[in-house]
Amino acid sequence: MSLREQFSPRLQALLARDEWLVAEEEYDPAQNLAYESRFCLANGYMGSRAVHEEGFVKNTLPACYVHGVFDRSEAFQRELCNTPDWAKLKIYQEREPLSPESGRIAEYLRVLDLKNGLVAKRYLHTDSRGRRTRVESVKLLSRAMPHCALLRVWLTPLNADALFEIEDIVDATVTNFMDFPRFRVKHLQVEKIECLGAEGCYVETKTRDRDLPVGTGSFTRVLNEKGVPVQRNRAFRPYGEIACEFMDVRAEQGETICIEKFSAVYTGRDGKPLKPALAQALAELSHHGFEAAVQAHVEKQAALWSLADVQLTGDEKMQKALRFDLFHLLGAASFTDDRVGIGAKLLHGEEYGGHSFWDTELFLHPFFDYVFPQVGRNLANYRYHLLDAARRNARRNSHQGAQFPWESADTGEEECPQWTIEPDGSCYRCHVAEYEHHVTAAVAYSAVQYYRITQDQDFWERQGLELLAETARFWASRLQYDAADGAYHIRQVTGPDEWHEPVDDNAYTNRLAHWNLVTAAGYLAECRAARPEVYARLRQKIRLKAEEPEEWKRRAASLYLGASQGLIEQFQGYFALADGEITQWDQNKMPLLPETLRLVPKQQRCILKQADVVMMLFLLGQEFDPETQRLNFDYYEKRTLHRSSLSPGVHCIMGIRTGESARAYEYLERSAYVDLDDNQGNTREGIHAASAAITWQSVVLGYGGMGLGKDGLLEFAPQLPDRWEKLQFSLQYRGRVLRVCITQNELSLMQEGGVTPVAYRCNGTVRQAILS
Ligand code: BGC
């Protein structure tokens, strides 16, 4: 029986075909936290971990994160706050809780429907008195009404009449790091616990540092099979920081009752009085009804998928994993708000505090720039809005220009903690923010890529050039001149491989700094010639001295870059470290540390945490000949442990580019299955945003061989793995929707509804799009 067919007809009607369903076929409390991340729903405004609404589950981290709601209080840094939990709906049968962990359960099945953006569940519950109840539910965060969430739970008593007691709950007792006493922080102070109106629950809280209000409300009713409300004894019964509305309902043996819960969230960032806005949203939902609301949501999801979907014919497992990755990326992307970034764990977990890293620029951006340029622009603007903070950060560190923080939240201040505490209580001094500077080049790099892909002149002239100039200024001041060799150097720096910290002249950082300086000078010269008024405005705004761009070029020309051919040393002294090659892999094909290096401290051995020189080749490959790329890929591959999920996707693309397709596919698996297989062991903390996005890059830019030529022409040099019959994907390219279809022998590019032929280059030959 298919997964879908295991649900009742009422749920089958809401569910997509099996190829879109990710299933949890057995309830294992030990796996619950990982599933809370995997099945987390998000709609671009907020994200809600997939908690069992019934509660009474021990291993759980209920959480709702709303974009832009940060607070510090006792935490080491500003964190994305866990806001009140609206997802709870406790059910009892005469005081006995009905949940997956109370009583006995059978026939358990929960699915995440990637296509329709909902989570559906069913199980058979038997309580201590032998009463059996069929439980089914469906939950979604509306794409059509982004402040709202919908939940329906159906209960069918199977062997006796039942009296169900129900608690509709909005729980403000939540904290961040609920299961981690050393880090636990309550970021929101409760202001109001009250009835929403005549009925329903309302909780108002505010962040403790900056008084940002957050309103969370819900409304619940119980319907019989004819859709008539049948709840009784409704009473608002708050306790402590919990808003709770009690109701009960009788159900005859074999009769199905439906509990319907609508929830909504508004914050002070939405610019509306919270409670009235929320009450109105819930009233609208009630008025239109569940079915209409689901339909509106599903239509929005379909519109997103019509652009985002990548079809892989001939590789079912990879197909589902890729859709899983894209689903979660889309959930965290804001199409409307350019003051929020995307955290390293999306809106799905607390690790990394909801902070933006270089992950956004180099891993996430390309997917959005090509497929949803509006989101690409929002993300670029997020950095632009924080430029002043980056300027302050540079000053604080005695540099010039703008230095973007290693970890960024809502203020643009450095949010990477200086200290962290280990589980045993010992303090650990964290030097990352002090030395890891390459994020600043990543911001510049992705602004340029966004512009090259989209030709968004408005962004470029208003924000892009300024970002580029200020980041170049940073590097110009960060370089240190050494009279001994007459060259500039970057000393005391950490590259992407954080296990060697700090080092001198990290090849990745030096090359990216070089690129930043030269590219900024080049684009400014171009602007000066072509758009003198834009150039003059920029010069005045940032007080750019006439000679500055020339000075950037001069410094770049004398910057120590290491080898340009042959084996590239990751940093000065790397080749002298204790050497050894990886020869063993675990059950997920993840590499294991060579035995011989086990006792050698990280800093003193050649083993890398993640792609570093290979990352540089990935971004700046055009600066190196193919043999150099192959040689370095081969060398560093044998020394990279991929302990950051960012790394395998980069190796996949570089594997393809250097002709190692079979090995590349293994990296694609490691990247695509990070959270489905939990191959980094921390899926419980949230979904790995960067690996999800580089999986798209691996498929489209790697196997599809797509990119932009120097002349701005879209290029394709496809190399599909043998098992793929067909690869299909879409782009929103410079105002046109393009549909790309690649088989083992052919590439076709269709422009939707277009009349202008699209020129592109495929495997070296310039072609024109077939018009639809
Ligand atoms: C990686 C960084 C990455 C961060 C957030 C770290 O483990 O080393 O490169 O930016 O995780 O994903």
Side-chain angles (χ1 to χ4, degrees), residues 460-677:
W460 188 240
E461 292 181 359
R462 284 170 198 275
Q463 290 100 8
L465 283 168
E466 192 176 337
L467 279 170
L468 200 55
E470 290 290 29
T471 49
R473 271 179 163 167
F474 163 72
W475 289 114
S477 72
R478 174 66 179 83
L479 306 186
Q480 288 157 281
Y481 185 71
D482 190 338
D485 63 357
Y488 285 95
H489 295 266
I490 303 183
R491 303 227 155 97
Q492 295 287 291
V493 76
T494 303
D497 163 29
E498 295 175 344
W499 287 348
H500 295 95
E501 164 195 79
V503 296
D504 288 344
D505 289 320
N506 164 248
Y508 174 90
T509 309
N510 287 25
R511 287 270 172 184
L512 264 287
H514 180 268
W515 172 91
N516 201 158
L517 291 163
V518 172
T519 308
Y523 274 112
L524 286 188
E526 194 183 294
C527 176
R528 186 179 177 174
R531 303 273 291 155
E533 68 291 356
V534 174
Y535 185 70
R537 198 178 60 210
L538 177 68
R539 264 195 72 184
Q540 197 187 9
K541 179 160 188 217
I542 65 170
R543 298 205 186 92
L544 184 77
K545 294 192 208 85
E547 65 280 10
E548 267 186 87
E550 280 309 310
E551 177 61 16
W552 300 341
K553 280 203 305 203
R554 199 187 63 73
R555 291 192 182 207
S558 316
L559 173 57
Y560 173 87
L561 292 178
S564 297
Q565 274 187 328
L567 210 50
I568 298 166
E569 191 171 30
Q570 186 178 305
F571 53 84
Q572 296 225 24
Y574 172 81
F575 287 148
L577 300 179
D579 198 17
E581 292 184 3
I582 291 159
T583 52
Q584 288 181 309
W585 291 263
D586 71 10
Q587 72 282 6
N588 287 322
K589 299 189 192 158
M590 298 303 283
L592 297 170
L593 184 65
E595 289 284 345
T596 50
L597 295 177
R598 212 146 264 175
L599 300 176
V600 183
K602 280 185 189 146
Q603 293 272 12
Q604 291 164 29
R605 62 188 190 211
C606 66
I607 300 297
L608 325 185
K609 178 181 177 191
Q610 66 198 94
D612 196 307
V613 169
V614 174
M615 182 75 199
M616 175 189 83
L617 296 171
F618 164 56
L619 298 177
L620 301 175
Q622 71 283 1
E623 295 179 12
F624 301 89
D625 63 66
E627 179 51 22
T628 298
Q629 299 194 38
R630 199 198 54 71
L631 187 73
N632 283 281
F633 174 71
D634 222 50
Y635 178 87
Y636 284 104
E637 185 196 19
K638 298 191 180 89
R639 292 165 177 80
T640 307
L641 275 195
H642 302 290
R643 283 300 149 81
S644 159
S645 66
L646 275 61
S647 192
V650 175
H651 275 246
C652 171
I653 298 176
M654 286 311 297
I656 298 167
R657 289 194 194 157
T658 55
E660 291 295 343
S661 280
R663 259 145 73 191
Y665 189 83
E666 288 188 7
Y667 286 111
L668 179 67
E669 290 178 306
R670 289 172 194 149
S671 185
Y673 303 153
V674 165
D675 292 306
L676 288 171
D677 286 351

Side-chain angles (χ1 to χ4, degrees), residues 344 352 357-359 406 436 496 498 609-610 644 646:
Y352 294 127
F357 292 69
W358 68 314
D359 307 28
W406 178 243
E436 198 156 355
E498 295 175 344
K609 178 181 177 191
Q610 66 198 94
S644 159
L646 275 61

Side-chain angles (χ1 to χ4, degrees), residues 736-739 748-760 767-772:
R736 302 152 163 169
V737 173
L738 303 182
R739 310 278 183 198
S748 78
L749 191 145
M750 309 275 280
Q751 182 184 344
E752 209 170 73
V755 281
T756 342
V758 178
Y760 65 99
R767 303 179 186 194
Q768 296 229 317
I770 303 158
L771 292 177
S772 48

Side-chain angles (χ1 to χ4, degrees), residues 272-417:
K272 289 183 178 173
L274 302 188
K275 196 174 177 188
L278 194 148
Q280 191 187 336
L282 291 181
E284 253 173 59
L285 261 185
S286 279
H287 176 73
H288 295 303
F290 184 86
E291 281 78 11
V294 171
Q295 199 187 332
H297 163 77
V298 169
E299 278 167 16
K300 290 271 181 197
Q301 278 284 127
L304 289 178
W305 278 120
S306 78
L307 293 163
D309 195 23
V310 176
Q311 282 165 275
L312 292 180
T313 314
D315 198 344
E316 266 176 48
K317 188 174 174 206
M318 186 57 69
Q319 169 75 79
K320 198 176 274 190
L322 183 55
R323 283 180 173 155
F324 175 84
D325 288 336
L326 296 176
F327 172 80
H328 287 302
L329 281 179
L330 289 174
S334 178
F335 285 74
T336 50
D337 191 342
D338 70 354
R339 300 216 170 234
V340 295
I342 297 184
K345 295 298 171 94
L346 302 172
L347 289 168
H348 296 49
E350 275 163 18
E351 203 186 13
Y352 294 127
H355 301 159
S356 297
F357 292 69
W358 68 314
D359 307 28
T360 309
E361 276 64 36
L362 300 182
F363 294 78
L364 276 67
H365 249 279
F367 166 65
F368 292 113
D369 295 348
Y370 278 114
V371 186
F372 297 102
Q374 187 186 343
V375 176
R377 181 167 179 159
N378 283 350
L379 291 173
N381 275 340
Y382 160 74
R383 292 292 193 181
Y384 181 77
H385 291 313
L386 299 175
L387 194 52
D388 277 341
R391 289 183 174 115
R392 285 196 298 275
N393 196 29
R395 285 317 147 269
R396 195 172 302 122
N397 298 331
S398 313
H399 303 306
Q400 289 166 19
Q403 180 182 6
F404 282 91
W406 178 243
E407 297 189 28
S408 180
D410 53 345
T411 65
E413 299 294 320
E414 178 58 75
E415 300 293 353
C416 180

